[in-house]
Amino acid sequence: MKYLISIVYFYFIAQIALGQENLGLNSGKVSYVTSQNVYVKFESTESITIGDTLFLNLKGNMIPALIVDNKSSISCVCTPISTTSLNVSDEIFIQKLENENIQGTPLDMEEIDATSKTNQPRYRANSLTGNSDQPINNEETVSPGKTEKNDSKELFKQEISGRISVTSYNTFSESNANNRMRYTLALRGDHLGNTRLSMDSYITFRHTLDEWDEVKNNLNSALKIYSLALTYDFSKTSQIILGRRINPKISSMGAMDGIQFEQKMGNFLFGALVGSRPDYIDYSFNLDLFQYGAYTSHELTTKTKFMQNTLGYIEQRNNAMIDRRFIYFQHNSSLFKNVNLFTSAEISLYENINDQPKNVFDLTNLYTSLRYRFSRKLSVSASYDNRKNVQYYETFKSFIDKLIEEETRQGVRLNANYRLYKNIIWGVNAGWRFQKSERNLSKNLNSYLTFSRIPSLNIQTTLTANFLQTNYLTSKIFGIRVSKEIIPRKLDGNFNFRMVDYRYLNYESVTRQNIAGINLSWNIIKKLALYVDYEGTFD
């Protein structure tokens, strides 16, 4: 018998909102994450329907992150549509604030990195695939007696929010015990003191108890600055950003250290950047990884339609030598009712093989996703992904979850969700990764059946099955998850159990495991929460 993970989460959330207009915003928190689904808890899901898009607020930019596959009265089972990895307690939104933007940008980082505001048209939306998008006038309405100074104060209102969390990850097994600590500071201040200056940060510090020498030898192995930036708004249409942040217009590049500038002219936006990339090994500041570029974006908006296109040119260097030179393209649209299309691509313009530099025009990274909602009962989606593998600087996923994620992210994926009955949803998705050499083939089939509410017990239950076949292994995973609100709006409980069977094709032995987990989340007071998780693996 092997005990794999015993985890205790402790979060303190401090949040202040000044001068913020609430337009019916409804938010929830991630309560559980698996390799295929994300569970989000709300106070109520009355305003949510199956197929809606849920958003992640990346420091002022609303990023489409999840599609609702099923729901109960207080929680939703969702499918991720972004490469941003979600963690327990992350805040998810179903309707956005007036001063925030909708962006269709998957990000290639596990952490939720902070991004600064842009000056794009603003929307209210419950779903990018329906008719609920209502554009909001970008111009401020000025009364006859309002002075220019008062108008500036109305435009630049201070909003401050933050979160401090302390997390302990304790692993016990027959051969080893490991205790890891993680401290997180996420602080955002928009228009500090009602001025044009804003800041945002997302910083973590993690270390293993009794292994402090590793921290002393290299502080950056423990300290991770995912975002730390100042933004100055020259006007409603132009801004400059100094520091580390992800640009949502060219998000797959990841975070950048340096200066970024944006200027909006009508429906067009022009931007430029110069700086460096974070270090590949420990994510520290590295001037040797210099980069610069420019981009332009065009946005078309009506009451029922939305389209945004971005085209950029980027050159990256390593020790003054050209490392990459490429064109970046990104498209996001909902031009037809119930249809959403997202595409991002990189085209390389330069390569240097065996010290022979030459100009090329090769498609090196491509991701495209199309989703169509036939009705309230049925929705389907298809995607193709040949991007490079995501590099994680932090992850606490189990071995089997990492295995499924690595083997199924690339390739073609088809997904369908169908409401069989009022409280019963069936979903299935299939993936196929193929290559000309056939050296890295992968086939995956995943299906789930969710009972959003069992009346007599007032619980939500999901049954899952996953089949994976690659060139070197086959696996079968069957699971069940049961969720119940123990004390309304105070204490939630979840139990999950999985039977795992996988074998490496080069060996005759078969590995069979039973994985059981329990999760409790207790909202002690409004801004203080305690999460306790236990997961045991039994061979």
Side-chain angles (χ1 to χ4, degrees), residues 271-293:
L273 56 89
V274 59
S276 61
R277 291 161 284 162
D279 188 82
Y280 298 124
I281 304 301
D282 56 21
Y283 214 64
S284 61
F285 184 71
N286 190 342
L287 275 176
D288 292 332
L289 301 178
F290 178 75
Q291 66 178 357
Y292 67 92

Side-chain angles (χ1 to χ4, degrees), residues 468-527:
L468 174 65
Q469 179 181 345
T470 72
N471 286 351
Y472 66 94
L473 69 78
T474 60
S475 72
K476 293 179 291 185
I477 305 173
F478 302 95
I480 181 173
R481 176 177 173 81
V482 178
S483 304
K484 180 175 176 61
E485 189 179 32
I486 301 172
I487 302 176
R489 299 187 180 183
K490 278 291 183 179
L491 182 63
D492 283 347
N494 298 284
F495 170 77
N496 64 87
F497 178 78
R498 288 186 291 175
M499 295 186 296
V500 179
D501 183 325
Y502 62 93
R503 69 172 69 200
Y504 291 94
L505 301 181
N506 294 331
Y507 303 93
E508 295 183 357
S509 62
V510 177
T511 300
R512 293 187 175 91
Q513 296 176 331
N514 294 323
I515 304 174
I518 298 175
N519 165 265
L520 294 174
S521 60
W522 178 25
N523 295 321
I524 302 174
I525 56 178
K526 183 177 180 180
K527 296 180 180 180

Side-chain angles (χ1 to χ4, degrees), residues 196 216 297 364 423 480 519:
R196 300 172 185 266
K216 291 190 294 184
S297 177
T364 51
N423 295 324
I480 181 173
N519 165 265

Side-chain angles (χ1 to χ4, degrees), residues 10-14 162-166 183-186 527:
F10 178 78
Y11 285 103
F12 172 76
I13 302 173
R163 184 183 73 181
I164 300 173
S165 69
V166 180
Y183 311 89
T184 302
L185 170 65
K527 296 180 180 180

Side-chain angles (χ1 to χ4, degrees), residues 414-479:
L414 303 175
N415 182 80
N417 301 297
Y418 185 73
R419 179 182 290 275
L420 298 174
Y421 189 64
K422 181 179 179 180
N423 295 324
I424 303 177
I425 299 291
W426 175 61
V428 61
N429 59 75
W432 177 37
R433 183 174 65 193
F434 52 89
Q435 295 178 339
K436 292 181 179 180
S437 63
E438 298 187 356
R439 295 178 58 184
N440 201 21
L441 297 178
S442 172
K443 297 178 182 179
N444 176 249
L445 179 65
N446 180 75
S447 183
Y448 69 87
L449 184 65
T450 297
F451 302 86
S452 60
R453 179 182 294 178
I454 300 178
S456 58
L457 301 175
N458 195 26
I459 62 175
Q460 176 180 306
T461 301
T462 300
L463 306 174
T464 61
N466 184 282
F467 304 91
L468 174 65
Q469 179 181 345
T470 72
N471 286 351
Y472 66 94
L473 69 78
T474 60
S475 72
K476 293 179 291 185
I477 305 173
F478 302 95

